[in-house]
Amino acid sequence: MKLDVDVLRYLSKDDFRVLTAVEMGMRNHEIVPSELVHRIASLKHGGTYKVLKNLLRYKLLHHDSSKYDGFRLTYLGYDFLAIKTLVNRGVFTAVGRQLGVGKESDIFEVAREDGTVLAMKLHRLGRTSFRAVKSKRDYLRHRNSYNWLYLSRLAALKEFAFMKALEDHGFPVPNAVDCNRHCVIMSLVQGYPLVQVNQLQNPDSVFETIIGLVVRLAEHGLIHCDFNEFNIMIDDDEKVTMIDFPQMVSVSHQNAQMYFDRDVECIFKFFRKRFHLNFQETTDGDDGSDIDTDEGSRLSFASISKTAGFLDKELAASGFTRKDQDVIQKFIGGSIEESGSDDEGSDDGNESETNETNVDGLDSLHLAEQDVIHKNPDLNSKKEGVSEENQQNSEAGQGSEHDRHNASDKMTMRL
């Protein structure tokens, strides 16, 4: 389903109030009953049902009457809630062109009031091309239900936390600006994905820098797990920037060595094939230490000193808790094994792409209730009624810079 921000022009406060009511109801419901939406939104004179009809027309909600009459958020509705919140915070004022599409996210340009261009990443776990991992990996274990909106929010929260921590420790990553729901706002990297680069002035130096980053991450207690030519940006001065962090794991992970070896192999394989390097030499890491890159003695995970820091442990205090880490790892941790073989997902508008269901034993959505209840105090008074009904119904992507010369293009819409 394509993001059409023009629709925002036609949405009223009541529309967002009802969208928020559905989001609140999805904490404990797979499909939120119509009566519960009406009670939470608390619009007068039957206004809720008129608004629901309008939201269905714009495909911000999905109506389900298979078991009972109810509604659930679509990704487009979730997008609008996140965008509205960030606009109200003053993070940006306009949304521009789409920069990229992936299996797990969409990337868009956004602009501040002063004209500064940023990147907006909307996580979209659950695309059709991504869902095959559910049947090939034991993410759900004993659970037979899940919620893609909840998992997308966790992925965004994790990426934001890791990006902030890596930036604070001097790693070449985009500047993390803000995060809300499944949306992450970051600085726009002035460069190109390495996969699009066919010639480098100093391929040996770039290779050394990239391998040094892999080692440096491990020394700080982290493994990227998807460190390849698609997630490395390089500018005209051959400066390297890392992107895409939701799948990062700790060096204490049970499969840490396998992930580390795979990251290293991806880099070796790409530079050997694209730039014809043979690696029969010793290179220097970012910290000045010698790194043996001989084909017969590839980088060893066990030989790396992991004493530079403990970012994997520090991040528990940055908003991404151990509970969040366990949940996201169970559901999407192994999806990185599919990244080399799966084609990029395409948002074909099929309803199956937004087929969210509840995670058993987990709160489905983390709501930014402070943004809503502070403006609508009467919503808070409905919580007790919601709790009673819950007891009865408790089972209920960075774009490339190949178009950067068109920087004069206008933003699609002023919000």
Side-chain angles (χ1 to χ4, degrees), residues 383-397:
K383 282 190 172 181
E384 295 183 1
V386 173
S387 300
E388 296 176 1
E389 181 152 343
N390 286 345
Q391 294 177 3
Q392 302 174 2
N393 298 280
S394 59
E395 292 298 328

Side-chain angles (χ1 to χ4, degrees), residues 63 163 199 297:
H63 179 243
M163 202 183 310
Q199 185 176 359
S297 55

Side-chain angles (χ1 to χ4, degrees), residues 75-133:
Y75 262 120
L76 190 56
Y78 208 41
D79 293 343
F80 282 10
L81 284 172
I83 290 173
K84 182 67 173 178
T85 300
L86 292 169
V87 169
N88 289 341
R89 291 179 186 174
V91 178
F92 61 86
T93 58
V95 177
R97 63 191 177 97
Q98 186 169 10
L99 297 174
V101 179
K103 293 188 294 296
E104 305 171 41
S105 62
D106 290 340
I107 314 293
F108 294 85
E109 276 186 346
V110 295
R112 290 182 179 272
E113 187 68 34
D114 61 3
T116 304
V117 179
L118 304 173
M120 175 176 68
K121 183 173 183 178
L122 298 170
H123 287 262
R124 300 196 187 284
L125 273 64
R127 291 192 191 277
T128 303
S129 62
F130 182 76
R131 291 187 174 195
V133 299

